[in-house]
Amino acid sequence: MISIIVPTYKEVENLEPLSQMIAEAMVGLDYETIIMDDNSQDGSIEKAQALSAHYPIRLVNRTENRGLSPAVIDGFDEAKGEIVVVMDADLSHPASAIPKMVEQLQSRSSDFVLGSRYVEGGSIDDSWTLWRYINSVVATIPALPLTKVKDPMSGFFAVRKADIPEKQQLSPIGYKIALEVMVKGNFAKVSEVPIHFVDRVHGESKLTLSEQLKYLRHLRRLYQYKFKTKAEFIQFAMVGSSGFIVDLAVYLLLQMFGATHTVARAISFWPAVTWNWLLNRTITFNHREKTKKSTQWSAFASSSLLGFGVNFGTYYTLTEYVPFFAEHTILALIIGVLMGMGFNFSISNLFIFKKLREEVDHETPLRK
Ligand SMILES: Nc1nc2c(ncn2[C@@H]2O[C@H](COP(=O)(O)OP(=O)(O)OP(=O)(O)O)[C@@H](O)[C@H]2O)c(=O)[nH]1
Ligand SMILES: [Mg+2]
């Protein structure tokens, strides 16, 4: 059996054409449609009841933990089929692609099939403005390292139920449930089936700016999941570079006000260290347990001083004792910086920003 999960919020006008479109596409196939509705109060319940006389439809009315992604995740539990399809209710996703998607799963030529606008044969609605297209493409780029697909933002996908990651493992923030399942499921074979994406006619889009901002937090979390320490190190290095700018600015500013360069150097270190600590606390190691600020700051500042020692020590040793580096001092400087940063990162990672925090983020309820 194939279970088609459709998250809905105020889609009453779309339910009938959706059911019809699905029925036409699924002729001869054993399927059920599960409408995961977030208590829309727009007549969706009554409509679904009426439709269930003619179509294999089931409506689940949710009243807690609202949101598209949680609705889909609950839908996974509801699904009776060995194959699960997820699609939008607003008629944007052509049900006619489902048999092909399912076939790829059944023949084991794929483990996760995505309905894709950006593979050959796929397309978007003619009404899309260039601006909307650019938006979509730009949003796609940061997701590319996470998967190999061309349309990671798509919400139309099919997967074997047995391959869906455990509920506790899934923690999307925002709309991108397909991306979440794709990354966490670590599928050996992922494929894309071209679709023509049709814009919604009835009802309103629920994709607000705040949903789009959640996407950034979701991406960060997926990078963390997939690249672990590497992702932290890159963030740590980026924070460090921004700290260098703070250091330099304060150093130059103090001298403008008459400080000598040694005094300026000795002072500018501290705002830079504080800046780095704050950003690492709120960004790089945001998912770690929050410990007492003053203690953590002191530990971070001490580690940075030692790190500076490692940095300078490396530079000094290389340029004093290795003739090659005496001639290529800039290389020695770079190695020193990397050694110092590696030292700082290890200490921060192991001792200063310790345990992982419980993931507590849930989607905030829709207020409409
Ligand atoms: N259960 C549930 N479904 C939702 C929620 N928000 C959106 N949906 C459904 O998720 C699907 C996609 O939502 P859309 O508003 O169409 O989002 P979108 O397709 O990214 O944006 P558009 O391109 O403007 O259509 C639709 O079927 C919505 O009804 C929610 O909070 N709860
Ligand atoms: Mg839509």
Side-chain angles (χ1 to χ4, degrees), residues 88-163:
D88 288 354
D90 58 358
L91 314 177
S92 287
H93 297 150
S96 54
I98 297 176
K100 193 166 175 196
M101 295 164 85
V102 168
E103 196 277 321
Q104 295 196 358
L105 292 173
Q106 280 168 339
S107 65
R108 303 246 157 201
S109 59
S110 178
D111 301 313
F112 183 100
V113 191
L114 193 69
S116 176
R117 296 164 287 188
Y118 301 133
V119 287
E120 215 187 315
S123 54
I124 46 176
D125 205 284
D126 290 341
S127 68
W128 272 38
T129 56
L130 182 65
W131 177 239
R132 187 161 173 204
Y133 179 71
I134 290 174
N135 247 311
S136 170
V137 171
V138 167
T140 297
I141 293 168
L144 294 178
L146 295 165
T147 72
K148 291 193 185 72
V149 299
K150 294 226 162 57
D151 192 3
M153 318 296 278
S154 172
F156 188 20
F157 64 98
V159 64
R160 283 184 289 271
K161 187 175 176 187
D163 292 345

Side-chain angles (χ1 to χ4, degrees), residues 15 35 43-53 55 57-59:
L15 294 183
I35 311 263
S44 288
I45 296 183
E46 296 76 15
K47 187 80 200 172
Q49 262 160 6
L51 287 169
S52 65
Y55 303 100
I57 282 191
R58 187 147 51 95
L59 179 128

Side-chain angles (χ1 to χ4, degrees), residues 36 62 64-75 172 174 177 363:
M36 300 298 296
R62 305 175 73 250
E64 274 168 35
N65 191 16
R66 274 183 165 187
L68 188 160
S69 297
V72 170
I73 292 170
D74 285 349
I177 180 67
E363 292 198 54

Side-chain angles (χ1 to χ4, degrees), residues 141-149 179 182-183 215 218-224 226-227:
I141 293 168
L144 294 178
L146 295 165
T147 72
K148 291 193 185 72
V149 299
L179 187 62
M182 231 184 310
V183 173
Y215 168 59
H218 187 201
L219 275 179
R220 209 190 132 263
R221 185 180 277 188
L222 288 176
Y223 268 92
Q224 197 66 56
K226 187 156 172 148
F227 303 113

Side-chain angles (χ1 to χ4, degrees), residues 98-273:
I98 297 176
K100 193 166 175 196
M101 295 164 85
V102 168
E103 196 277 321
Q104 295 196 358
L105 292 173
Q106 280 168 339
S107 65
R108 303 246 157 201
S109 59
S110 178
D111 301 313
F112 183 100
V113 191
L114 193 69
S116 176
R117 296 164 287 188
Y118 301 133
V119 287
E120 215 187 315
S123 54
I124 46 176
D125 205 284
D126 290 341
S127 68
W128 272 38
T129 56
L130 182 65
W131 177 239
R132 187 161 173 204
Y133 179 71
I134 290 174
N135 247 311
S136 170
V137 171
V138 167
T140 297
I141 293 168
L144 294 178
L146 295 165
T147 72
K148 291 193 185 72
V149 299
K150 294 226 162 57
D151 192 3
M153 318 296 278
S154 172
F156 188 20
F157 64 98
V159 64
R160 283 184 289 271
K161 187 175 176 187
D163 292 345
I164 296 173
E166 294 288 324
K167 205 170 193 166
Q168 306 84 274
Q169 253 198 298
L170 297 172
S171 52
I173 319 169
Y175 261 35
K176 305 297 164 203
I177 180 67
L179 187 62
E180 175 79 8
V181 174
M182 231 184 310
V183 173
K184 301 271 173 85
N186 216 347
F187 298 97
K189 284 179 274 180
V190 175
S191 62
E192 288 174 277
V193 163
I195 61 161
H196 173 65
F197 184 93
V198 188
D199 266 348
R200 69 158 66 240
V201 180
H202 307 292
E204 278 173 38
S205 169
K206 284 99 202 167
L207 188 59
T208 56
L209 183 67
S210 95
E211 284 298 337
Q212 282 169 312
L213 290 177
K214 279 187 197 160
Y215 168 59
L216 291 178
R217 288 171 51 214
H218 187 201
L219 275 179
R220 209 190 132 263
R221 185 180 277 188
L222 288 176
Y223 268 92
Q224 197 66 56
Y225 174 85
K226 187 156 172 148
F227 303 113
K228 301 192 177 74
T229 313
K230 267 183 248 157
E232 284 168 349
F233 184 75
I234 288 170
Q235 290 175 82
F236 193 84
M238 277 158 63
V239 166
S241 316
S242 73
F244 172 71
I245 295 170
V246 172
D247 204 341
L248 193 66
V250 175
Y251 170 75
L252 294 175
L253 217 66
L254 286 172
Q255 289 183 77
M256 268 167 61
F257 286 100
T260 64
H261 73 94
T262 31
V263 169
R265 185 71 200 88
I267 295 177
S268 67
F269 175 80
W270 301 100
V273 154

Side-chain angles (χ1 to χ4, degrees), residues 323-341:
F324 172 81
F325 287 109
E327 278 173 34
H328 301 88
T329 48
I330 198 90
L331 271 181
L333 181 126
I334 292 171
I335 295 174
V337 167
L338 289 177
M339 295 287 285
M341 202 166 67

